[in-house]
Structures are given as structure tokens and as C-alpha cells.
Amino acid sequence: MDNDYGYVDGNAAAGPLQELLAVEATTVEGQCTSCGRTSMLADTRVYFGGPGLVMRCRGCGAELLSLVTTPTTTRLDVSGLTCLTFPLEA
Ligand SMILES: [Zn+2]
């Protein structure tokens, strides 16, 4: 531990997060915050327009996530998802 408080800084999560985020994104399962429907991200509705895309739930139409890219950043808002489940390779 870096300190006596039982935690280390966020850099310690870099390896696990990098490994997790390298998966085929459409196979990741997400649960809709609005209706609770769980599905692979491939089983959603995607709308393009403006500076990015919006992914909506097939069950209730709520926004699950948005992805916006500017010349200097990419912003991923996943506030419409309660959780994401990543498949592990067998
Ligand atoms: Zn929904």
C-alpha cells in the first residue's frame, strides 16, 4: 500500500482496465437504468448525428450511452446503464 489508509492511487487499476476495455465492445452486456432490460450492446438502437452517437434501449427507448468525439477528447457517457458485464474468454 502507498499509505496507511488501505488504498493506492488510480494508476494501480491501469492494467486491469486496459485489459477489460480491449474486448469486442458489442459483446458487452449492459443493463438499462430505466427499465432494467439486459442485452448485449449489439442489441440496441444507435443513432448518429451531431458530434457522435447515442445508443438507446430496445425495450424502452431510454438513452443508454453517448459517445462524443471532439478534436481533442472522446467522451463516453454511460449514465443510462446500471452496469456493464464483460465476457471473459474461455
Ligand atoms: Zn430500457
Side-chain angles (χ1 to χ4, degrees), residues 51-67:
L53 66 86
V54 172
M55 183 176 283
R56 292 189 176 276
C57 176
R58 280 191 187 272
C60 71
E63 182 177 322
L64 299 174
L65 67 81
S66 64
L67 180 66

Side-chain angles (χ1 to χ4, degrees), residues 41-56:
L41 295 185
D43 186 25
T44 61
R45 294 180 179 154
V46 175
Y47 299 86
F48 289 96
L53 66 86
V54 172
M55 183 176 283
R56 292 189 176 276

Side-chain angles (χ1 to χ4, degrees), residues 32-37 57-62 64:
C32 176
T33 300
S34 179
C35 73
R37 181 178 186 264
C57 176
R58 280 191 187 272
C60 71
L64 299 174

